[in-house]
Amino acid sequence: MFFHDNRLQYKVRVDKPNPQFAKALQQAIGGVEGEIRVCLQYLFQGWNSRGPVRYRDMLLSTGTEEIGHIEMLATAVALNLEGSSSSVIEDIVGGDSLMEKIVGGGDPRHFLSGGLGALAADANGVPFNGSWVVSSGNIAADMYANVMAESTGRVLATRLYELTDDAGMKDMLSFLIARDTMHQQQWLAVLEELGHGSTNGVLPIPNSFPQSNENQDFSYVFVNSDVTPDQRSEGQDRRWTHGPSLDGKGQFREEKAQPYGDEPMLAPPKPEGYAQVEQMQKANDPS
Amino acid sequence: MFFHDNRLQYKVRVDKPNPQFAKALQQAIGGVEGEIRVCLQYLFQGWNSRGPVRYRDMLLSTGTEEIGHIEMLATAVALNLEGSSSSVIEDIVGGDSLMEKIVGGGDPRHFLSGGLGALAADANGVPFNGSWVVSSGNIAADMYANVMAESTGRVLATRLYELTDDAGMKDMLSFLIARDTMHQQQWLAVLEELGHGSTNGVLPIPNSFPQSNENQDFSYVFVNSDVTPDQRSEGQDRRWTHGPSLDGKGQFREEKAQPYGDEPMLAPPKPEGYAQVEQMQKANDPS
Amino acid sequence: MFFHDNRLQYKVRVDKPNPQFAKALQQAIGGVEGEIRVCLQYLFQGWNSRGPVRYRDMLLSTGTEEIGHIEMLATAVALNLEGSSSSVIEDIVGGDSLMEKIVGGGDPRHFLSGGLGALAADANGVPFNGSWVVSSGNIAADMYANVMAESTGRVLATRLYELTDDAGMKDMLSFLIARDTMHQQQWLAVLEELGHGSTNGVLPIPNSFPQSNENQDFSYVFVNSDVTPDQRSEGQDRRWTHGPSLDGKGQFREEKAQPYGDEPMLAPPKPEGYAQVEQMQKANDPS
Amino acid sequence: MFFHDNRLQYKVRVDKPNPQFAKALQQAIGGVEGEIRVCLQYLFQGWNSRGPVRYRDMLLSTGTEEIGHIEMLATAVALNLEGSSSSVIEDIVGGDSLMEKIVGGGDPRHFLSGGLGALAADANGVPFNGSWVVSSGNIAADMYANVMAESTGRVLATRLYELTDDAGMKDMLSFLIARDTMHQQQWLAVLEELGHGSTNGVLPIPNSFPQSNENQDFSYVFVNSDVTPDQRSEGQDRRWTHGPSLDGKGQFREEKAQPYGDEPMLAPPKPEGYAQVEQMQKANDPS
Amino acid sequence: MFFHDNRLQYKVRVDKPNPQFAKALQQAIGGVEGEIRVCLQYLFQGWNSRGPVRYRDMLLSTGTEEIGHIEMLATAVALNLEGSSSSVIEDIVGGDSLMEKIVGGGDPRHFLSGGLGALAADANGVPFNGSWVVSSGNIAADMYANVMAESTGRVLATRLYELTDDAGMKDMLSFLIARDTMHQQQWLAVLEELGHGSTNGVLPIPNSFPQSNENQDFSYVFVNSDVTPDQRSEGQDRRWTHGPSLDGKGQFREEKAQPYGDEPMLAPPKPEGYAQVEQMQKANDPS
Amino acid sequence: MFFHDNRLQYKVRVDKPNPQFAKALQQAIGGVEGEIRVCLQYLFQGWNSRGPVRYRDMLLSTGTEEIGHIEMLATAVALNLEGSSSSVIEDIVGGDSLMEKIVGGGDPRHFLSGGLGALAADANGVPFNGSWVVSSGNIAADMYANVMAESTGRVLATRLYELTDDAGMKDMLSFLIARDTMHQQQWLAVLEELGHGSTNGVLPIPNSFPQSNENQDFSYVFVNSDVTPDQRSEGQDRRWTHGPSLDGKGQFREEKAQPYGDEPMLAPPKPEGYAQVEQMQKANDPS
């Protein structure tokens, strides 16, 4: 079972709201390379796991971490949409031609269906699809599915990093990119334990993104989301919690899951989104 | 952010595995009335919430609880599929003509794609679809969407209860049905706080299912999944945590989320599912 | 069975064609909150209805009315697209930054696939999906599904109202918003008949949209689309046809369905859409 | 706009309920060859029509007729499902090996999601998809799309005819097959008016189904669903309303739409479907 | 089985890269009117064909040709996207208001998911859907499905032709439009062989596109992709390989499939797309 | 561009037709692990390839081979369905309880929509979905996507092997399983060339399937489908065409693509499928 902490795993800040970037971020939420997919994929693999137990534990820990990534990205979408109301928008109409040509306008459903909130869909508004959740019952096939998900996921995150010049968004992405660095190697480490040879050299994927731009405090740490008392994994010898990382650039370590971010605080509803009157009157009422 | 406990929110036991019932259970996992939908719906509503904070807190707590329901049901599917291997199946070919006519065979993808594991799909194998996740930015519209989800969800659960005569499965469903009883009223309680009149009489939906068959220990309790230190909600006056329930049949109360079930233990992989050799050799190795 | 009148239920006029608004309107046709969904939902609930007959009659009447709403919106899309040909477009490139940022360009399939016609899809071009049609066999669950559909539908319509400054479009939406006001209460009235308490206060959803902007001639009238001779419903006591409305702001009444609009007349095909020659030659030939 | 008559366009009778046949019938409701598709396709083509007006009128008439076909089939599904409750099922477990091998069990969602009612989905439970609705803006392309829909639709209907030995179902299908015979030729007649050569010989598709098995009273009649006063089409010279049919086997004629069937009367809800108590108490209460 | 030649069936040249046009082109790749659909449709009809053999041969030849059309269009998308990197983009921001209003920005997934490559999706990013592949087992129904696909496909291609003023793109489309002219008639020729009357007059669909704009060298030639030794079809009398075309405007002939284009050469990966380092270092290394 | 040979890449024989197995085989055609997915995935990766050229060549060769695998499986489905007509079915109703419990009946659309032919859908009738086609623009991410596809694909094929006792089907699968063995290593060989360490040990996935059951003549051979004159790849040093295989169990070699199977010959249409009369009369007419 699961628990929730109001604080984010890592801080999410938007300096200059941008509904076009909100649209692009949706790919990382509900796209085939996105966080809902990896979250459900790791959780289903864990729930369906018929052993060994050490892999089940790992899958559930990381699947749980990913729920928090959906949360961060949904928050980022909501904050970016605060720039889409008529009163603010003048400030953000800029000359960013790459964004303009590639992304075009925002996602109309962000306003029409969501009232300036995130959707369970990709950057084109195509809904998340459960067929992407791979849980094959064969641990090696599953691990390759996971490496693939984290590889295309990290490629996506680096492109989002390229697309924005908002310092807050770059900071958030530098964290998520680092987590993808770790997760790629985590699944490959299982393969190594199962007899697969070493995999150094090609990692992290993409290897053209300067690792100085990722938040390297989080690049080689296994985040343990497990709060079961008397955890069996403590003190165990696992390839992904200590020793050199598979890319040869760091040392694996383990850390108890903890919030590095604050509780997010969205702006009150805009009148043109037609929330209920009571929502607007008591938007941030803590009681 | 989120945490995980290896134990289930409530116990899941299958006395007589049945792949046809596994197929039917998928509707409660990945169907339009299912738990992935409500889980993501409440979480997205919480993440997109622009106030008041009390509703955000409630949405995130219950969304978190629902992840644990997907977990219970996925476990139930996996356990029911343990009867689908050739060695066991003779025992379970029975004369249940209702099941036979309505459900027919199992879901071939349970074996072909999942190796005897659950899918993110409905009872016909149609994948979960993110378009079902409603988060409109209007709290009243969202609450009605939630009441609808819990109403069709509880109807589904009572029909599943009807379809099985497995005591373990009936016990699990008696818990889930009770949670739906609570959740229906929880969302209606928000509407009452917002000025909606009382809603007694028609609840719980369906009102034809004998409540003696639901686990009434859980019918009127708000499960608080929030583990943030110094919770602001403590001591607050909320319609859904004390006082008479909306159906007039119980008293609301609040409880910290806790596991009533054990850690699930699936059988080792069957040879005909072609897991990796190492999985079968060390299936339940605790190290 | 069904009949058709060439005239629209209410008039549809576009003063200043706008393909971006055409794209946004698609959400009200083929989106999850849209009219195809409610149309099929009410009709399937009616066709599947196992009593009482009074609810079956109501469902079929309102489901039939909704076909006419799809018709109105499809007409509105087609009229808005008349501004998307090269000869007219100069006039409409304006400085509407909210539209620009939220909606971006039009839907390319309006031209590429439709030849300037409406699609059975949402504002992102995602096709209508039959999984949204809820017909559970439980009248209370169905009614909540309907309230939810009309609540999110009315929220959508008010946002579309906000997005346009075209007087014709605002007039059309003022009618549709009023119908949603009625339909929300119509389904709640069934719940009230079934023992649900009164529901005043929170309605109509959203309650922040000024009701002076809706066409209040249609806010509390049940439109009876039934043309069966010797209707059994005449003279019956039904909560949704007389007495005070559930929001306490009006009096319910009943009216035979009738056209308040004219037969729509679209412009001839534009040459760049490559209709057949004969279509362009005899576009509005009445013979 | 649209109107409804409680009576069916043609009678629907099920002598021996069969949930497997109910599953197969879903293909004709929500499948790619089904009635929701043709209904929406003809209506959208009509609403998007930029002339000539005669084709718009025809499209709307036939699109309106098709709503009534969905109604007939949904009724047929509901009636076939009345055999799926435990008390009746013993009678229908038979030795029909073709049905058994091809269709297998029923659709579990008929019970789980629908409470013994029809779905907006195909014979595998895959939801209806709006992408199937073709309205291209080119009348010739549209007419070929319509011929294709009616050809695959008639092939489907003849296979359903083959699959059942229920006299009531065969009678209903003999009507629907006849309507497809007409509709195929209706769209080809438009092409003939536009300069396409004659099309005799290959029709109706399939030409291997004995026409003596279709209800030939309805094979060559254009059903006019238009109730607009002062119809412009009266007395006009249209290829599809008089003269020899395109297959050379009949004479076209026109008839005002009228019900040949009665109002359907479904059985009360079965207890195991968990409708509301009030539904079961007053199922067929006419008030 | 199948073989590949590195050269394109016809040349693909982009003079002025345009990511908006790349988005529009996706409709011809992965849309309902697109080449993946016709490719799979003809191949499945061929593979499922139960005779006569002459039609099986034809279906497989043309299905094979269509794979090469997907290839051409995917190449065209990739080339158009070479203008979407920040360094080039200044040159292409132009004042094309039709493109701007209809298409808006590009497809964000072209960059985010594809690294400037084509997708298996339509112009709105909606994925290709296998339900569009019609193979009914009835040759006449299948042929009408094919005529419909080529009719809506040619309408689409002419609209794409209208949307671009790039000489290279117009040249490529003039070839594809010509192939659609042939393919429409090819399927109608089968119907004529089966007893369908002549079909002159209405063809090609659309008949409003000036045929002087299509590459008429390819308008009436059956491309034989079959490389089986000792082909049985040689010397056979087939309606679609000689004699007057069905539209009366040309003479059918047959030609062995051969490349009229060169091997495509895309630009190296742009740094902002984060390919692997090795890809960028050795992008066009022929070894 | 592409060419076709009427003969299959490998022989397809069905000794005992079985519509249930036909349903299961659909997963290998149109499922997420299936051949349409890998076919389009490799082709799109090739078409979008921005270097090096050696990988583009390899991707197009293998993508082309996969079209032939769809062909083999579609043929296998059609042959298995020849047992589903009423006249044959008595022979095949057997006591295979694993098949019965897991697969249940056949796919009703095989008869209703396909007339005993294959569909572009999975084992539950869910249509193929283009979102599964991964082409990221990063060669390492793409290679992992391909390894994952071939791993889950081989797992699927071994389970299908387990499900049937038809000697012909086992032989066909023994070939496809061997090709997956090769393809897994082919993509990993690219990673090795790019700096990835050796990958011996875990392969082929699954490693629990006895390789003596796969057709080892095809387990380590790169099939070159390229028929371009003057191929640049000849004589080149590529990891996947010679030297020891990555699993250490064989030697890589290269072979020109060639047919090992014959031209398939399906039975004539069954009367109950309502093909056109002419099809049945001249089913296997070679002219």
Side-chain angles (χ1 to χ4, degrees), chain D residues 127-149:
Chain D
F128 173 80
N129 188 297
S131 67
W132 304 334
V133 177
V134 175
S135 170
S136 73
N138 180 293
I139 186 81
D142 282 358
M143 288 303 110
Y144 275 117
N146 298 354
V147 175
M148 171 270 212

Side-chain angles (χ1 to χ4, degrees), chain B residues 46-124:
Chain B
W47 296 329
N48 289 331
S49 172
R50 296 178 179 280
V53 175
R54 65 198 280 126
Y55 302 136
R56 173 182 166 89
D57 286 349
M58 180 183 63
L59 285 161
L60 293 178
S61 258
T62 306
T64 302
E65 182 188 358
E66 302 287 8
I67 317 174
H69 293 184
I70 313 175
E71 186 178 45
M72 288 170 61
L73 286 159
T75 302
V77 166
L79 290 172
N80 270 289
L81 290 172
E82 296 182 357
S84 58
S85 82
S86 50
S87 54
V88 184
I89 209 147
E90 301 312 321
D91 301 337
I92 66 171
V93 175
D96 184 343
S97 59
L98 177 58
M99 183 75 93
E100 207 67 52
K101 279 290 161 188
I102 287 290
V103 180
D107 180 336
R109 292 194 63 215
H110 274 159
F111 174 61
L112 295 174
S113 300
L116 309 183
L119 298 166
D122 78 3
N124 284 317

Side-chain angles (χ1 to χ4, degrees), chain F residues 215-237:
Chain F
N215 188 330
Q216 297 180 74
D217 295 344
F218 299 95
S219 300
Y220 301 103
V221 54
F222 175 71
V223 172
N224 185 341
S225 311
D226 188 351
V227 294
T228 318
D230 303 318
Q231 291 183 30
R232 77 190 131 238
S233 67
E234 285 175 24
Q236 280 194 13
D237 185 30

